[in-house]
Amino acid sequence: MRVADRRGRELGSDTRAHVREGRLGAERALALSESTLRDWGYEPAPDTPTTLRLHNCPYRPMAAEAPELVCHMNQRFLASFLAGLGADNVSALLAPREGECCVELRG
């Protein structure tokens, strides 16, 4: 969990360094998240203007063996990514759906 937290924050901070300063609204934070997470093997797609679903699980083989551990690690990674991004108005929530990632991002 510590590694997921650290790596998520690093990725969020790196992403934030490439955008203009100022507070991120939920929609802009989700758009940045969508672009970055796509590069990391996720298949993000907006459900609503303030909800981003992850249509795949990049950790599916591991999640099949230990879903509780992998889903919570993934949620921690994404929550830390949002913290590093400075998106305090977006949350990474466990919201499992059959055949998709167990986490969704909500503004």
Side-chain angles (χ1 to χ4, degrees), residues 73-102:
M73 177 203 65
N74 190 26
Q75 187 271 335
R76 173 75 62 90
F77 170 75
L78 293 167
S80 297
F81 165 75
L82 293 168
L85 187 62
D88 58 353
N89 50 5
V90 179
S91 300
L93 305 169
L94 286 174
R97 289 187 192 174
E98 186 65 35
E100 293 187 2
C101 181
C102 58

Side-chain angles (χ1 to χ4, degrees), residues 33-42 44:
S33 298
E34 182 177 0
S35 173
T36 301
L37 295 177
R38 189 174 311 284
D39 292 342
W40 275 75
Y42 291 90

Side-chain angles (χ1 to χ4, degrees), residues 20-91:
R20 67 181 173 157
E21 293 184 26
R23 189 172 184 280
L24 291 177
E27 289 183 34
R28 184 165 176 241
L30 289 170
L32 287 169
S33 298
E34 182 177 0
S35 173
T36 301
L37 295 177
R38 189 174 311 284
D39 292 342
W40 275 75
Y42 291 90
E43 294 174 359
D47 257 7
T48 71
T50 57
T51 303
L52 186 65
R53 284 293 310 170
L54 305 172
H55 288 288
N56 72 321
C57 175
Y59 312 108
R60 187 171 310 282
M62 291 183 297
E65 297 293 320
E68 189 77 15
L69 171 66
V70 174
C71 291
H72 283 88
M73 177 203 65
N74 190 26
Q75 187 271 335
R76 173 75 62 90
F77 170 75
L78 293 167
S80 297
F81 165 75
L82 293 168
L85 187 62
D88 58 353
N89 50 5
V90 179
S91 300

Side-chain angles (χ1 to χ4, degrees), residues 1-7 76:
M1 291 298 199
R2 285 189 306 264
V3 172
D5 184 64
R6 185 183 75 240
R7 190 62 192 119
R76 173 75 62 90

